Amino acid sequence: MQPRVPAPDLAQPRTEAEAPPPTRPPPPRPRRALARLLRPLRPQLLFSWLPLLAGAVLWVYALPRIGFRSMGDYGLLDRFPVAFYVALALLTCGFLAAPRRAGTAPWWPAGYCVALLVALKAPPAVLYDSVRYPWASKHDAVVNQLLLNGELRPNGALSGNMSAYDQWPGFFTLTGGLVRAFGVESAAVFLNWAPIALGLLMMPVLVLLYRTFTEDWRLVWTAVWIFQLANWVGQDYLAPQGFAYLLHLAVIAVVLRHFVLPGSAGRLRDRSYLDPASAAVPPPTGTRQRAVCVAVLAPLILAVNAAHQLTPVMLCVSLFALTLTRRYRNYGLLAVAALIMLAWDLTMGRPLFVETLGTLRDSLGELTENSRAGYAGELTGPGPELAGRANVLMVLAVAALAGAALLLRRRLVRGALPLLLVSVAPVPLFVVNDYGGEMLFRVYLFGLPGAAFFAAATLVPAVGDARHGLRRRAAALTLHLALPVALLALLAGFLPSYYGKEKMYYTPPAETALVTRAIDRAPDGALILATTGSFPQALHRYDRVEHWFFAEQELPENERMLADPARYLADRIPPGTDAYVILTRTQDIYAAGEGLLPPGGFSTLRSRLSVSPLFRVVEVHTYGIVLRYRPDAEGESP
């Protein structure tokens, strides 16, 4: 019997001679190391990030070369350097490559959408040394009034169309809080950045809205891209409309995802009945869940009502349109939204609400008048005329692309019918009122999210829907030819629509200082006269002085006024009132561009008031003139 050899004790440490040599990782193979270094240079990834980087570099290079201080008839269109346009083209090319990978990596298209937003709307915020849109300074004046006095006198009868701001003060309260939180002097410091901030906040809401009806990320991001190109209306500046519009879309998105009635989807839950790109109908919710959602949405709806007078109407109209479908026939939410709107209109907003009801008799059914743009509706000058034509072409292009989806993607439209109803719901408001010449723009704005989605559906064919060779070739032609052409055409239309009238939107700081000095000199209760309210600081000290923008009327009446402007104004100034006339460069550009005055009318007005004994010149400046009314000079000859 062989002696038993004991097993080695694994717990005892081995001697240096017995220990195996230490294992070292094998040296990296040259090919693998080189592959890791070159991975970002693969063609697919290269086309994803290189256009974004190149476009950003060119945009930054072009920015300081934009001659905004020497704008001519075409606004910024002929002041943008070539590098700026090349940067936009590069971003478009990069975006066209990015959505092909959107099913697995949706962040590339998201990065391009953010870059497009910044590239299109950040130049004024970065460059301008004054507030873009002179009339936006009135919002700064309202915030200053709130911070100074702690109230906006909602029941006071204020002039200069200020009653809407005082009776719907929610937005200004929030903005005042931001001024305090940021520790800045006034809202004018960040006012020009509002389009970028609101655009960034809008993007996830749009994605949530579109993902309710499609699983195709290419379609989602293309719809977001088209929305940004088609959003030339200029309602996204620091104003109650932009803020309330964001909340409106948020409410609609929540309703479309969480208010589906049980047993209402029917065949829409059958994938064979849907478009390959369609998303499944959201799961149904019970009565208790919907009641909780109503309680969650009620503060948002209240915020909409506190901020803006028109958006609650649009919200109620959209919710009513959704009740026409079996999926969203929820009368409870509609009733809550309507009751909140009526409660606000009959309490805080009662003065203006009653006044508006009194004007409905004249505007009800006047489709031609209600759908006009502005006061006169006759744009004059190369830039404004080009912008006006571009506006019309943009509306027609988006409508044509969205309408084509009704024929080409009928199964997708069937699944997204609620979004279609929300988009067309505001159109009947043309019958009711002109909203101060802005109803056309507001209807377009509220219909744009759905229109952008269906326009994208026309340009982005569904994956797997082209089984036959002919359909497959048609889908490839649409994706590789029609989509690039359409996006470049929309980009070409956006630029004149948004920047074609920029000359009337930028105001030199010296003009702002002139207006501020003139209004500061006026005593309390004085009357400030100007051709239009679209000039900087027009409503400075609006709680202490009255305003009359005497040219904001039809052109024939202004032509009669120009025959003897001194007599025309003197006859309409209340007796015993200190009155000052402020005429500035921005008023001249705006009145001419919007067709308020005939060609040369502003110069005629200024020269005749200057030599009239009824008015004395207080200050003359390169950017304007200030005159004071002399009631004691009645009867003197010039």
Side-chain angles (χ1 to χ4, degrees):
M1 187 173 183
Q2 297 291 332
R4 188 174 181 181
V5 179
D9 187 0
L10 298 179
Q12 297 295 326
R14 296 184 179 183
T15 64
E16 186 175 349
E18 295 175 340
T23 59
R24 297 179 180 177
R29 296 181 180 180
R31 292 183 180 179
R32 292 183 179 178
L34 183 61
R36 283 197 296 269
L37 291 175
L38 297 179
R39 186 177 299 170
L41 298 181
R42 291 178 182 176
Q44 191 175 20
L45 288 176
L46 187 66
F47 284 109
S48 294
W49 65 263
L50 187 58
L52 180 61
L53 178 61
V57 170
L58 278 176
W59 185 83
V60 172
Y61 169 81
L63 200 62
R65 292 164 174 81
I66 299 175
F68 67 96
R69 289 189 177 89
S70 60
M71 282 185 285
D73 292 334
Y74 289 97
L76 284 179
L77 296 180
D78 56 355
R79 294 298 181 265
F80 285 134
V82 175
F84 181 82
Y85 293 105
V86 176
L88 296 179
L90 282 174
L91 291 178
T92 304
C93 293
F95 174 78
L96 289 169
R100 299 178 187 178
R101 304 179 62 248
T104 56
W107 297 114
W108 277 117
Y112 274 98
C113 286
V114 172
L116 178 71
L117 172 68
V118 173
L120 290 178
K121 297 187 175 179
V126 177
L127 297 176
Y128 285 7
D129 46 12
S130 63
V131 172
R132 186 178 189 252
Y133 298 134
W135 57 84
S137 62
K138 64 185 177 184
H139 299 154
D140 186 36
V142 174
V143 174
N144 290 339
Q145 164 73 9
L146 176 63
L147 294 176
L148 182 63
N149 298 328
E151 63 175 352
L152 289 177
R153 297 196 300 155
N155 297 320
L158 299 174
S159 66
N161 296 323
M162 296 303 296
S163 56
Y165 301 108
D166 290 289
Q167 295 167 28
W168 281 267
F171 168 78
F172 302 106
T173 304
L174 174 62
T175 307
L178 293 177
V179 171
R180 293 290 194 220
F182 294 154
V184 295
E185 183 180 354
S186 69
V189 174
F190 53 80
L191 198 148
N192 287 346
W193 289 97
I196 294 91
L198 288 174
L200 292 175
L201 293 173
M202 190 81 66
M203 208 169 294
V205 178
L206 291 173
V207 171
L208 182 66
L209 189 65
Y210 296 150
R211 284 287 289 174
T212 305
F213 300 104
T214 182
E215 295 178 347
D216 190 347
W217 278 107
R218 304 172 311 152
L219 177 54
V220 170
W221 290 117
T222 303
V224 173
W225 189 273
I226 291 176
F227 176 87
Q228 293 189 143
L229 291 178
N231 188 16
W232 50 263
V233 186
Q235 296 297 330
D236 54 357
Y237 65 107
L238 194 69
Q241 176 65 97
F243 172 70
Y245 182 65
L246 174 64
L247 297 183
H248 163 85
L249 284 185
V251 171
I252 295 298
V254 172
V255 170
L256 292 175
R257 294 187 71 89
H258 298 289
F259 277 77
V260 177
L261 293 178
S264 60
R267 289 188 295 176
L268 293 178
R269 296 202 180 275
D270 183 359
R271 292 297 310 178
S272 62
Y273 187 70
L274 295 173
D275 186 277
S278 294
V281 177
T285 53
T287 304
R288 185 175 180 179
Q289 292 172 296
R290 292 195 299 275
V292 171
C293 287
V294 170
V296 172
L297 290 179
L300 286 180
I301 298 174
L302 180 60
V304 172
N305 282 270
H308 198 239
Q309 67 272 29
L310 180 64
T311 305
V313 179
M314 296 290 190
L315 179 60
C316 288
V317 168
S318 299
L319 294 177
F320 173 76
L322 288 176
T323 63
L324 301 178
T325 66
R326 293 182 64 243
R327 268 182 280 175
Y328 298 101
R329 194 164 294 163
N330 294 283
Y331 297 109
L333 180 63
L334 175 61
V336 169
L339 287 174
I340 292 176
M341 180 180 66
L342 288 176
W344 190 279
D345 289 344
L346 295 177
T347 54
M348 288 288 292
R350 187 175 183 276
L352 185 60
F353 178 69
V354 173
E355 179 183 341
T356 303
L357 290 179
T359 63
L360 290 183
R361 291 177 299 177
D362 298 329
S363 61
L364 195 63
E366 298 291 336
L367 292 177
T368 304
E369 289 295 317
N370 293 344
S371 59
R372 67 175 182 166
Y375 292 97
E378 296 293 338
L379 299 175
T380 58
E385 290 175 359
L386 175 63
R389 288 192 294 269
N391 295 165
V392 174
L393 291 176
M394 287 288 283
V395 172
L396 294 177
V398 174
L401 289 173
L406 304 182
L407 300 175
L408 301 176
R409 304 290 295 275
R410 283 176 291 181
R411 289 193 295 168
L412 178 65
V413 173
R414 189 181 298 119
L417 179 62
L419 183 58
L420 177 63
L421 291 176
V422 168
S423 300
V424 301
V427 175
L429 292 179
F430 277 132
V431 182
V432 180
N433 196 273
D434 67 344
Y435 197 65
E438 294 188 6
M439 185 61 76
L440 175 65
F441 302 125
R442 305 306 170 97
V443 169
Y444 174 80
L445 180 66
F446 280 88
L448 183 56
F453 176 81
F454 293 110
T458 299
L459 299 170
V460 181
V463 177
D465 195 28
R467 302 183 184 89
H468 304 290
L470 183 60
R471 289 185 179 180
R472 188 162 52 249
R473 287 193 293 271
L477 186 65
T478 300
L479 191 63
H480 295 96
L481 181 60
L483 177 61
V485 170
L487 295 189
L488 289 174
L490 290 175
L491 175 62
F494 173 88
L495 292 172
S497 296
Y498 196 74
Y499 286 118
K501 298 192 292 183
E502 195 67 19
K503 188 177 180 181
M504 66 176 67
Y505 298 158
Y506 170 72
T507 303
E511 181 179 337
T512 303
L514 170 68
V515 176
T516 304
R517 285 195 305 270
I519 298 180
D520 283 341
R521 280 195 298 258
D524 290 355
L527 177 63
I528 305 298
L529 288 78
T531 55
T532 173
S534 296
F535 65 99
Q537 293 292 86
L539 295 175
H540 175 55
R541 295 180 61 219
Y542 76 93
D543 60 319
R544 302 294 183 88
V545 297
E546 300 293 328
H547 301 85
W548 176 25
F549 305 131
F550 55 85
E552 290 184 347
Q553 55 191 358
E554 298 294 341
L555 180 60
E557 182 63 23
N558 284 332
E559 290 175 337
R560 286 190 291 270
M561 178 267 296
L562 289 175
D564 188 357
R567 184 77 271 162
Y568 183 93
L569 298 179
D571 290 344
R572 290 161 177 78
I573 296 175
T577 301
D578 284 327
Y580 295 81
V581 179
I582 302 176
L583 303 176
T584 67
R585 165 189 171 274
T586 303
Q587 293 180 49
D588 185 5
I589 297 171
Y590 185 87
E594 293 293 330
L596 297 177
L597 296 175
F602 193 87
S603 298
T604 301
L605 173 67
R606 173 172 173 163
S607 61
R608 291 182 177 176
L609 288 179
S610 299
V611 301
S612 171
L614 295 175
F615 291 88
R616 177 176 61 85
V617 176
V618 175
E619 182 177 357
V620 179
H621 193 276
T622 306
Y623 293 108
I625 185 173
V626 180
L627 307 102
R628 183 174 183 177
Y629 173 53
R630 298 176 56 207
D632 56 328
E634 293 284 351
E636 296 183 16
S637 59

